[in-house]
Amino acid sequence: MRKLIIKGTEISAVRVCAGVSEPEQYAAEELKKYLSAIGIAVTEAPDAYPMKTAVDPTVGRDGFRITVTEEGLTVSGGNGRGVIYGVYRMLEKFAGVRYFLPGLETLGDGDIVIDADYAYTPVFEMRQSDWQCSNNDEDWCLKNGINRRQIPKEHGGHVRYGTFVHTMGRLTGIGEPNQPCLSDPEMLSRAIASVREILAADPEISIISVSQNDNRNYCKCEKCAAVDAEEGSHAGTLMRFVNAVADDIRDDYPDVVIDTLAYQYTRSVPKITKPRENVCVRLCSIECCFCHPLDDITCKQNLAFFRDIVAWNEICDRIYIWDYVTDFAHYIPTFPNLSVLRENMRFYAEHHVRGMYPEGAHNAPLSGEFAELKAYLLAQLMWNPYMTAVEYNRCIDEFMAAYYGEGWRYLRAYVDLMESFTKGRHMGIFELPCNYLDYEKMAAMEETFDQWWDKAYTLAGDRAASVERSRFQWRHLKLELHPDPVAGRAFYEECRARNIKWNEWRPVDPEHVDFSQPPSKWAAATSYTMG
């Protein structure tokens, strides 16, 4: 029987009270539900130990404070989300509750001991991720601190975008694939009118994107070329355009932020123009290597990004990041970046980043890879980017034990060894697996890997389906080592039946595929390397 001990006193029963707002009441109901499930008596008796949920604007946005006094315990939050976060994090920190995946939670064990007050405000003001296995679930997002998803107001709401990204064509009315001329007053007038129309239609919008279309077809007219030459970057014309929009709406919408991209041809910092205070620059790491941490300046791909984020920090106080955490050309095989995830999230926090969007297999209901694990880890890291290596590895182990069952250690060994196979290589997000994995070393371990996956499946119990699903990544890699037309066709058909997508762009066309080739060559889309 678990005990609740608060400042040395064992509590036999608690009475949970709520403030008047819907988020405060929801937080109280969640606290009651989880305490009851753990085995703590929850009652309405007036002499029971009181616990209260309350909004307190002094706490800070999305932050919370747990205060213990003679009058009881109070979970207060800087806003409605903060109150709810406070309840979930209190249960996580002191009771050992874990919210791994939709439908997969654990309640912890041992006594619940609260010895002192506790407070926390997230480092990142905006936290978004994109793995369909979890991030489409509102309840999971709320429990794991994701605030850029559709969360109802009564549950604290979410960071509301007017438009998200790649919006220039839409805002100016020219559509894709062209980019507008950013020196054309007519294009600016159209963009301002569109932004104002969007904001007027929804007063809850707090951020709206005025950002380049997703191509390199930027305007090369004489005026744009002159500005970009003067600025030393194609971000020159973009930033002047975005600033003009920001200036126009500032007085009428003082709490709205204009979001734009520093992406591909606009990634480098302009020499002259600085973003306005109500402008957010979303820096994109699309060209980086994800085998090496971003602060590893011995990696030339990452050295360039390191210089860019330092330079943007010198002129902008609101930097968001669009990060990339899978191989978008090959969703299924192992993409061994777990160690880098933690180091890069710390890197972003240390460089004053205020918003995170690590993009995974956003259009794939299932990936053959460790999508479920990565979704959970990224949520934990966005909440606490200064997580230690010990804490991070504990998160990995806890998740794998819950998700894979008794044989999880075999899969943890697989994870660790696959990470070692990238040593001395670079790993981009449009790579062939053979470019970042040492196939010779992998082949030498083939029999051992087969045994590990077999043992994990045998020991999994009711978690066998999880092992089977994740094993697709190893099955893919085995076909890389030993292409076979019959086995290849069967593997493709099974992936299709399970709605496991091959990559971000195009499905495999079986009528035009040579299944005797390695599966990384099946997709119609070309696999790009970093350049």
Side-chain angles (χ1 to χ4, degrees), residues 58-199:
T58 67
V59 173
R61 180 177 178 174
D62 278 11
F64 64 86
R65 181 187 299 125
I66 297 167
T67 308
V68 184
T69 67
E70 293 181 357
E71 287 74 37
L73 182 149
T74 300
V75 181
S76 53
N79 54 19
R81 281 196 304 272
V83 180
I84 299 170
Y85 291 155
V87 165
Y88 290 138
R89 294 309 187 192
M90 181 178 75
L91 292 165
E92 186 177 59
K93 179 177 177 64
F94 297 110
V97 177
R98 299 290 183 266
Y99 321 101
F100 293 121
L101 287 171
L104 180 61
E105 298 182 357
T106 57
L107 297 176
D109 52 28
D111 293 339
I112 304 167
V113 180
I114 304 176
D115 286 330
D117 296 352
Y118 176 64
Y120 186 76
T121 298
V123 174
F124 302 127
E125 66 186 18
M126 197 281 290
R127 304 170 299 278
Q128 178 180 358
S129 187
D130 240 341
W131 295 95
Q132 283 196 23
C133 57
S134 57
N135 286 284
N136 289 341
D137 186 274
E138 296 172 0
D139 187 53
W140 182 89
C141 289
L142 186 59
K143 290 173 178 176
N144 285 280
I146 303 295
N147 65 1
R148 172 62 182 105
R149 282 295 174 189
Q150 296 295 322
I151 297 173
K153 290 177 65 175
E154 60 269 24
H155 296 170
H158 58 278
V159 175
R160 192 168 183 84
Y161 265 78
T163 53
F164 179 51
V165 75
H166 302 314
T167 61
M168 280 296 189
R170 171 181 171 186
L171 295 176
T172 60
I174 68 168
E176 290 271 11
N178 299 317
Q179 308 278 10
C181 172
L182 299 179
S183 299
D184 184 347
E186 174 63 21
M187 295 295 102
L188 178 59
S189 295
R190 289 185 188 181
I192 289 171
S194 296
V195 167
R196 283 187 166 275
E197 182 180 357
I198 292 167
L199 294 176

Side-chain angles (χ1 to χ4, degrees), residues 242-289:
V242 170
N243 279 350
V245 177
D247 288 342
D248 185 89
I249 70 161
R250 179 188 292 107
D251 291 342
D252 295 328
Y253 300 97
D255 297 323
V256 171
V257 173
I258 301 294
D259 169 84
T260 196
L261 293 174
Y263 174 59
Q264 294 183 332
Y265 65 88
T266 61
R267 206 183 84 179
S268 60
V269 175
K271 293 179 181 178
I272 301 169
T273 305
K274 299 180 180 180
R276 297 289 193 263
E277 290 183 358
N278 59 333
V279 168
C280 161
V281 173
R282 186 185 294 272
L283 180 60
C284 305
S285 63
I286 193 167
E287 297 91 352
C288 289
C289 167

Side-chain angles (χ1 to χ4, degrees), residues 181-420:
C181 172
L182 299 179
S183 299
D184 184 347
E186 174 63 21
M187 295 295 102
L188 178 59
S189 295
R190 289 185 188 181
I192 289 171
S194 296
V195 167
R196 283 187 166 275
E197 182 180 357
I198 292 167
L199 294 176
D202 188 347
E204 294 188 6
I205 291 172
S206 61
I207 189 165
I208 185 167
S209 182
V210 180
S211 56
Q212 68 213 59
N213 294 343
D214 195 8
N215 59 63
R216 297 176 183 269
N217 300 329
Y218 54 86
C219 180
K220 300 178 180 64
C221 77
E222 185 176 346
K223 288 184 178 180
C224 287
V227 171
D228 289 344
E230 182 183 19
E231 296 274 12
S233 169
H234 293 297
T237 47
L238 175 65
M239 196 53 60
R240 294 185 188 189
F241 188 96
V242 170
N243 279 350
V245 177
D247 288 342
D248 185 89
I249 70 161
R250 179 188 292 107
D251 291 342
D252 295 328
Y253 300 97
D255 297 323
V256 171
V257 173
I258 301 294
D259 169 84
T260 196
L261 293 174
Y263 174 59
Q264 294 183 332
Y265 65 88
T266 61
R267 206 183 84 179
S268 60
V269 175
K271 293 179 181 178
I272 301 169
T273 305
K274 299 180 180 180
R276 297 289 193 263
E277 290 183 358
N278 59 333
V279 168
C280 161
V281 173
R282 186 185 294 272
L283 180 60
C284 305
S285 63
I286 193 167
E287 297 91 352
C288 289
C289 167
F290 297 97
C291 176
H292 299 95
L294 291 172
D295 58 0
D296 183 349
I297 59 176
T298 66
C299 174
K300 66 178 182 179
Q301 289 93 338
N302 292 350
L303 175 59
F305 185 84
F306 181 92
R307 289 170 173 165
D308 283 342
I309 196 170
V310 168
W312 279 110
N313 260 298
E314 292 176 354
I315 67 169
C316 183
D317 291 330
R318 187 181 243 112
I319 296 175
Y320 283 13
I321 294 292
W322 189 312
D323 206 13
Y324 304 84
V325 292
T326 193
D327 186 337
F328 291 87
H330 304 282
Y331 275 162
I332 300 175
T334 309
F335 190 70
N337 63 339
L338 288 185
S339 61
V340 166
L341 293 182
R342 182 187 74 88
E343 296 184 64
N344 285 355
M345 200 68 76
R346 173 188 49 78
F347 170 87
Y348 291 132
E350 289 175 347
H351 286 81
H352 315 295
V353 167
R354 295 175 62 177
M356 282 300 307
Y357 173 36
E359 184 184 18
H362 61 92
N363 61 334
L366 295 174
S367 83
E369 218 229 318
F370 289 115
E372 297 82 5
L373 171 61
K374 290 181 180 179
Y376 176 72
L377 292 176
L378 286 163
Q380 294 292 306
L381 288 168
M382 282 189 284
W383 186 263
N384 177 19
Y386 294 109
M387 188 182 297
T388 66
V390 171
E391 292 169 330
Y392 185 60
N393 281 295
R394 186 185 304 128
C395 282
I396 295 174
D397 291 349
E398 288 178 345
F399 180 94
M400 296 187 84
Y403 187 62
Y404 294 117
E406 292 296 325
W408 69 271
R409 288 181 177 83
Y410 292 106
L411 303 190
R412 178 63 203 260
Y414 174 87
V415 166
D416 293 341
L417 200 53
M418 289 298 284
E419 294 248 340
S420 74

Side-chain angles (χ1 to χ4, degrees), residues 475 479 482-494 515-516 522:
R475 292 173 61 189
L479 282 168
H482 310 291
D484 177 89
V486 176
R489 165 71 79 160
F491 181 68
Y492 160 75
E493 293 293 350
E494 190 172 354
F515 284 104
S516 67
W522 295 350

